[in-house]
Every structure is written in C-alpha cells, then in structure tokens.
Amino acid sequence: IYDIRSGEEGRRLKAEIGKGVRKDVNRRLHRSKDGTEFHVETISRTIQYEGQDARFVVALDMTAQIKAEKDVQDYLFTLERAADATQAITRHRTVEATMQETVDQARAVVSVHLAVVSLTVAGAEQTRTINAISHSDKYANCRDFVRFSHGCGLYGEVVESNHPMRLTQPELEAHPRWTGFGNDAGSDPPMRGWLAVPLTGRNGENIGLLQLSDKYEGDFTLQDQYVTVELAQLASIAIENARLFEQVQQLNQGLEEKVAERTAALARQEALFRALAEQAPQVVWNSDAEGHMTYVNRKWYELMGGTPADWMGTKWMAAIHPDDLPALTASWESSRQSLQPYEGMRRVLATDGTYHTMAYRGSPVLDEKSGEVLFWVGIDADVTEIKAIESAQRLSNQELEAF
C-alpha cells in the first residue's frame, strides 16, 4: 500500500498506523503507474479475513470532483470580476479611456497575458484603426503589437463574419490566414491561442475587434468566449457612448446656440446607458440614497414578473426569503455607515413560484464635493444552477460516506 503513495503520503500513513489512528473516510494522494499523483477518497471498514482482523478499503478517484469544485469557484470569481468590469468600463467619458479600461478589464477577467482592442474610425478621406493594448510583464519588451492588433492575418475574417473566433495554438498555426507572430528567434514571445470577438455598433455593423491571447492556464474555453462576448458588447455600447460624449463636448466649446443640441445629445447618451443596463445578462438595479428602489432592468422582470409599480421603493423586499432578510439588512446598514460596497447571497421568489439564489453586489455613488451618497447601483447574478450543482455534489459525497 505504500507503493501507490508518494514519500510524504507514505510517511504520514505509517505515522497514523503507528499511533493506532483509524478513520473510515480519508482524503489522500495516490500515485499512478506513470508517477503522477491524484486525489482519492478512501472509505474503509473493519472486516474478518481468513480469521484475522483486516480492513476493506475502497479508493475513489476524486480528480473530476475536485476539478468541478474548482470550475464552480472559478466561475463565481469570473461573475464577480465581470460585474466589477461593467461599472469600470462604463464610468469613462472618452473613447481612449474606455478602450484602455476594456482591455485591462478583459485581460484581468479572462486571465490572459495579452489583450488588444481595435476600433475602426472612418475619416473624411480614409478609414484608420486605433488600438489599446494591455499586457503582462511577459510582453514588456514586445514591439510587434501592431501586427498582433491586426489578428495575425485573421483580423479580416472575424470582422467580415462579425462572429467570435476561438482557436488553440495548433488550430491557429494551421489556419490558412495565419501569418505568424513572435516566431522569429530571439524576438517577441510566441502567441499561445487566440480569442477574438467583434465590436458592433447600434446598427449591428462591425466597429472593431477585441482580441485575447496567451491564457495564463490552459486553452480558451467556451465560458471564456461567453464572458468576452459580454464584455465586447458592453465595450461597444460604452465606446459609442463615449464617442457621443466627446461630440457633445466639442459642440459645447464656445457655441451657446448649440445648447439645445447638446442637451438632446446628453439625453440620447443617458438613454444609451439605460440601454446598456437593459442588455445586461444579470439583474441591474438603482436605488436612492435611502435604499428605495428606483430602477431594475428587464432581467428582473423576466425573473420576477410584474411592473415597476410592483417593485419600486421598498416593495421589492417582499420577494426576499424571510431567512435572508436579517443578513441583508445588516450588510446594508454596515455599508451605509462605511460608504463601501456590500455583497452577499439572497433568495428571491420568482414568478415560477421557486426561490432563485442571487449573488448581489451594491455600491454607493458619491457626490464629488460633499462625499454624500447620491444613489446606489448594483447587480444580482442568478447562481441557482451553480448552487444546485454544489448541493448535488454534497449529496453525492454523503452517499459515498454512507456506503
């Protein structure tokens, strides 16, 4: 039994046996025939074998379960980072700042070494492309970002199709439109996989591209693609909003007769920001300084039904599970005192008659001069399915332990 354990695990087992320790259920590391280690859960019982005391042991490979638990944690972390990215990207008022925030947030959320966003700008005589780049220290000395920003020969294909493209490194190198990047000896680091998502304007036409490469761990997944698509849609709206804002600023420079036009542009911009919230995949909400609900997006009504009159003010609290109200109230009061974001889990009674578990996060928006709370903004992500997976895993473990 020691041959299937590493040296450290073997010594630990010997020590337990020497001390007379007997546990029916244990988590241990076993060693496969190729030398790699993997997690197992052992379940044992005392038996009689040929007239002598013995132990009957069943070892269950826990690799898949541990990976599933990690995937759930990674997904929850991604949801939290994506919620933070939503507020960060939309707070800027210039195209340059919005683009830079987009690549910084995309690189952090998906965990990659290199991110580039390219925006197509139509001029009077010709069309040009402006880029924003975010990279880790691995690419600190790279000078070939212009070639990367054009997708290593694949930029045009994504722009033409206006659909995402996700490739592993072998798939990338095998693609007929691949032109290479960082393949020269002693030059830039080589690319490792590629994920590209188009930016689209309000009319559905392509306005640019968000590209990611060289993920910290493994290849790009379908989940990575979904998250990047959401960020690209958010960035598209924010960039166009920033464009409108810049136009408003230009119109307002010394042109008093343009006040009416400027006001209309600001109204359109506000409508665009509201449209952004309506397109969000999670519940987005606003409340006044006292916590009275003033707005929830369409995702809330899809989940809860009703009309604004049914939920505004404090009426929304009637949908909260009674057991969750004390913790929610305590978190809210603490945040009001500290003026810091508050977050947690709460269950809401949906229109289908079931409780949905929501991971919520709310943040105050403060007056720049007085520091007082102007209003609160927040997001609720439906994690019911994730919780169901966790419950199923716990039930499976309990059944195994009862075996």
Side-chain angles (χ1 to χ4, degrees):
I1 61 174
Y2 297 108
D3 292 341
I4 61 174
R5 291 174 171 82
S6 64
E8 182 178 349
E9 279 287 313
R11 288 189 293 271
R12 184 162 71 91
L13 179 59
K14 286 182 178 179
E16 291 177 0
I17 293 175
K19 295 177 181 179
V21 176
R22 292 291 186 272
K23 295 182 179 179
D24 291 340
V25 179
N26 290 280
R27 280 283 182 97
R28 300 189 183 279
L29 279 174
H30 280 191
R31 186 166 52 198
S32 63
K33 62 182 180 181
D34 63 3
T36 59
E37 293 184 343
F38 61 99
H39 290 273
V40 299
E41 184 171 274
T42 59
I43 304 173
S44 64
R45 294 289 186 274
T46 302
I47 63 172
Q48 288 289 319
Y49 181 73
E50 295 184 352
Q52 296 183 353
D53 290 339
R55 301 284 290 184
F56 179 76
V57 182
V58 176
L60 304 175
D61 186 348
M62 303 301 291
T63 305
Q65 179 177 324
I66 291 174
K67 182 181 182 301
E69 292 172 352
K70 183 179 183 301
D71 289 344
V72 169
Q73 293 300 319
D74 290 345
Y75 182 63
L76 286 174
F77 177 74
T78 300
L79 287 178
E80 294 173 358
R81 288 291 294 114
D84 293 339
T86 299
Q87 298 185 37
I89 292 174
T90 57
R91 74 170 184 244
H92 297 287
R93 297 295 182 267
T94 67
V95 172
E96 180 181 356
T98 302
M99 291 177 63
Q100 189 61 51
E101 189 71 57
T102 297
V103 289
D104 289 341
Q105 292 293 336
R107 192 171 75 82
V109 171
V110 187
S111 298
V112 297
H113 284 284
L114 184 59
V116 176
V117 64
S118 304
L119 182 65
T120 303
V121 180
E125 298 181 356
Q126 62 180 1
T127 299
R128 62 188 179 91
T129 301
I130 58 176
N131 305 303
I133 300 165
S134 179
H135 59 82
S136 68
D137 292 341
K138 179 178 179 180
Y139 291 86
N141 298 320
C142 183
R143 295 294 181 267
D144 203 11
F145 286 123
V146 173
R147 185 147 61 99
F148 175 83
S149 69
H150 286 81
C152 312
L154 300 175
Y155 183 103
E157 181 166 333
V158 179
V159 170
E160 291 163 9
S161 67
N162 224 18
H163 288 89
M165 180 178 290
R166 174 168 52 95
L167 300 174
T168 63
Q169 186 61 23
E171 292 171 339
L172 184 64
E173 295 175 356
H175 199 284
R177 297 180 72 169
W178 160 259
T179 62
F181 173 81
N183 292 325
D184 300 330
S187 64
D188 302 321
M191 286 178 60
R192 191 170 63 84
W194 191 58
L195 175 59
V197 176
L199 305 180
T200 54
R202 296 187 302 276
N203 56 6
E205 295 182 357
N206 183 275
I207 62 172
L209 200 65
L210 173 60
Q211 305 172 70
L212 306 178
S213 182
D214 202 351
K215 190 176 178 182
Y216 284 124
E217 295 183 5
D219 294 320
F220 289 109
T221 65
L222 186 59
Q223 176 182 314
D224 295 330
Q225 180 173 318
Y226 288 154
V227 171
T228 307
V229 167
E230 294 295 337
L231 290 176
Q233 293 175 347
L234 175 70
S236 299
I237 297 171
I239 287 172
E240 292 210 321
N241 289 343
R243 278 176 163 175
L244 288 175
F245 192 84
E246 289 178 344
Q247 292 172 7
V248 169
Q249 287 184 318
Q250 293 173 3
L251 290 172
N252 196 43
Q253 293 175 0
L255 300 176
E256 291 295 333
E257 64 274 21
K258 296 291 185 179
V259 170
E261 182 178 349
R262 176 179 179 273
T263 302
L266 287 173
R268 290 195 300 272
Q269 182 175 339
E270 181 180 354
L272 285 173
F273 276 112
R274 182 57 59 88
L276 168 63
E278 292 299 315
Q279 295 180 37
Q282 293 90 21
V283 174
V284 178
W285 51 265
N286 286 32
S287 67
D288 63 20
E290 300 302 319
H292 298 149
M293 193 71 70
T294 58
Y295 166 77
V296 286
N297 69 344
R298 64 174 179 81
K299 195 65 177 180
W300 173 269
Y301 296 107
E302 290 176 0
L303 179 66
M304 307 298 295
T307 65
D310 299 318
W311 303 113
M312 295 301 102
T314 59
K315 295 178 181 179
W316 64 276
M317 295 186 69
I320 304 297
H321 194 289
D323 293 346
D324 297 341
L325 283 173
L328 173 61
T329 303
S331 179
W332 157 251
E333 292 297 338
S334 176
S335 184
R336 290 186 67 185
Q337 296 296 323
S338 64
L339 300 183
Q340 296 296 315
Y342 67 104
E343 60 187 7
M345 294 283 184
R346 57 189 177 198
R347 289 165 291 177
V348 297
L349 184 60
T351 186
D352 61 2
T354 64
Y355 278 99
H356 285 238
T357 303
M358 313 296 288
Y360 68 87
R361 179 181 175 87
S363 299
V365 177
L366 308 179
D367 184 277
E368 293 182 355
K369 295 182 179 179
S370 67
E372 296 180 352
V373 176
L374 297 175
F375 53 93
W376 295 76
V377 296
I379 186 169
D380 277 46
D382 192 339
V383 296
T384 305
E385 293 184 0
I386 295 174
K387 290 298 183 182
I389 293 173
E390 292 176 347
S391 297
Q393 290 176 339
R394 285 194 296 270
L395 179 60
S396 176
N397 291 339
Q398 292 172 359
E399 292 175 347
L400 289 174
E401 292 174 356
F403 175 76

